[in-house]
Amino acid sequence: MVKVLITGAKGQVGTELVKLAPAGFTVIGLGSDQLNITNQQQVAAAVAEYRPSLIINAAAYTAVDKAESNAAQAFAVNEQGVAWLAEAAQAADIPLFHISTDYVFDGNATIAYQETAAVNPQGVYGVSKLAGEQVLAKTHSKHIILRTSWVFGAEGSNFVKTMLRLGKERDELTVVADQYGCPTSAASIAQVLWQLAKNYQQQGDLPWGIYNFSNSPRGTWHDFAVEIFKQGLALNLISKLPEVKSITTADYPTPAKRPAWSVLDCTKIETLLGYGVPCWKSELVQVLKDQQ
Ligand SMILES: NC(=O)c1ccc[n+]([C@@H]2O[C@H](COP(=O)([O-])OP(=O)(O)OC[C@H]3O[C@@H](n4cnc5c(N)ncnc54)[C@H](OP(=O)(O)O)[C@@H]3O)[C@@H](O)[C@H]2O)c1
């Protein structure tokens, strides 16, 4: 059995990682109450106690707007916490799989971002996540950084849950229609990470580095909302279709700037794993069924 330590195990992706662990893998899934990654002693003690063969870091400070006024905590988790994990993994000579974000880019592109595209995060969250990528790459060569975007899952709070709640309360709502990205199910992220873990187990090695992974096709938050309501109605999660009016980013000011273009080119991971990224509309069906 391959023992895998999962941090942030109660978050959107962490929950799916625990749920979807393949045969042959034993999972030690620790929530923030069991392992606080900002605490070096706790990280070292967990690795010493469980002796994992692999660590998957699903812990992060993900409150994008709050990060603007709480930079210390964002960096503590997204940079220092990753540094402690990277040091522990390096000392134990085991790989560290880590999750990062489209927010490392400035969103000014018009073609999908490749892994090698220039980074230029626009807010505290993005800067802290980029710092985490960099400290991991500097500390430990056996790493995978999976950059993803617009995550939704059955657990935790996300855009899908917010839309369903608003769809029950309102006849009409406004959603931003000038930001482009790819919604990505937490389950599909977990599946990719497990496939990488299986490849590592079989081959004893991996082509380490940064990989993009999202679902397809690209759309706007408005497109996403319309699809949530269409599927939500079909599954009786809402009783009527609300009118979804388009607004611009300028009409919906937020403390943290959002990238206008978040589309990730996933060719590298598709080539490595030998399959195409899933469609978010199909992934959405599964998540909505879990809400029934
Ligand atoms: N959500 C998105 O749209 C999105 C987009 C792109 C990339 N990502 C990345 O994807 C990854 C997973 O995100 P997610 O959506 O699953 O986030 P999430 O649901 O917010 O889960 C993150 C988990 O990390 C835990 N955590 C926070 N501080 C911690 C600490 N000091 N020690 C240990 N655990 C801690 C949280 O626990 P508490 O709740 O107890 O604090 C939470 O359970 C993150 O790296 C994120 O940056 C997310």
Side-chain angles (χ1 to χ4, degrees):
M1 285 296 232
V2 182
K3 224 192 273 177
V4 182
L5 177 66
I6 295 170
T7 61
K10 292 176 185 163
Q12 293 197 81
V13 176
T15 311
E16 296 297 337
L17 280 165
V18 173
K19 216 191 297 179
L20 296 170
F25 288 81
T26 305
V27 163
I28 301 129
L30 303 179
S32 61
D33 50 338
Q34 295 156 298
L35 172 56
N36 174 1
I37 65 164
T38 68
N39 184 317
Q40 185 183 19
Q41 280 79 34
Q42 284 189 25
V43 170
V47 174
E49 179 181 350
Y50 297 112
R51 302 198 159 277
S53 306
L54 164 69
I55 301 174
I56 305 180
N57 179 33
Y61 184 98
T62 57
V64 173
D65 287 322
K66 278 194 197 150
E68 294 298 310
S69 52
N70 196 3
Q73 186 59 13
F75 278 91
V77 181
N78 294 343
E79 182 184 30
Q80 187 60 68
V82 178
W84 298 142
L85 290 167
E87 278 183 19
Q90 206 268 342
D93 193 26
I94 56 172
L96 175 57
F97 292 1
H98 175 66
I99 307 160
S100 194
T101 171
D102 53 324
Y103 278 51
V104 299
F105 299 117
D106 59 20
N108 295 330
T110 49
I111 55 163
Y113 286 107
Q114 292 187 335
E115 288 79 355
T116 49
V119 288
N120 184 25
Q122 296 295 291
V124 170
Y125 168 75
V127 175
S128 71
K129 291 294 293 182
L130 178 61
E133 289 188 3
Q134 290 170 338
V135 76
L136 171 52
K138 193 178 72 183
T139 309
H140 187 34
S141 58
K142 287 186 183 172
H143 69 266
I144 295 288
I145 293 168
L146 198 72
R147 285 183 182 149
T148 189
S149 62
W150 297 21
V151 179
F152 65 97
E155 301 298 324
S157 53
N158 55 51
F159 186 76
V160 174
K161 301 249 190 99
T162 304
M163 286 302 116
L164 283 180
R165 179 173 51 78
L166 293 177
K168 283 176 196 153
E169 292 169 5
R170 301 189 192 168
D171 294 329
E172 78 171 49
L173 66 162
T174 55
V175 181
V176 171
D178 61 355
Q179 290 170 25
Y180 291 86
C182 296
T184 305
S185 78
S188 67
I189 297 169
Q191 270 151 355
V192 163
L193 290 168
W194 281 125
Q195 189 56 54
L196 290 167
K198 285 198 261 186
N199 287 9
Y200 176 71
Q201 181 205 15
Q202 282 157 16
Q203 296 154 16
D205 200 11
L206 278 179
W208 309 107
I210 299 179
Y211 292 85
N212 292 336
F213 175 74
S214 69
N215 296 166
S216 70
R218 76 164 189 245
T220 66
W221 291 108
H222 183 274
D223 297 331
F224 194 14
V226 167
E227 185 65 24
I228 292 164
F229 292 130
K230 194 177 121 195
Q231 292 194 18
L233 184 67
L235 292 168
N236 291 319
L237 291 168
I238 52 171
S239 55
K240 59 183 179 344
L241 278 181
E243 189 181 345
V244 190
K245 293 191 169 163
S246 297
I247 54 167
T248 65
T249 304
D251 298 326
Y252 188 74
T254 49
K257 199 177 164 204
R258 300 303 199 264
W261 178 266
S262 272
V263 182
L264 300 173
D265 182 327
C266 299
T267 311
K268 188 178 170 192
I269 195 89
E270 289 181 323
T271 306
L272 178 68
L273 298 183
Y275 60 75
V277 301
C279 169
W280 58 263
K281 294 183 185 177
S282 314
E283 296 292 304
L284 180 61
V285 180
Q286 299 310 317
V287 169
L288 291 180
K289 281 186 175 164
D290 270 2
Q291 307 299 310
Q292 282 182 313

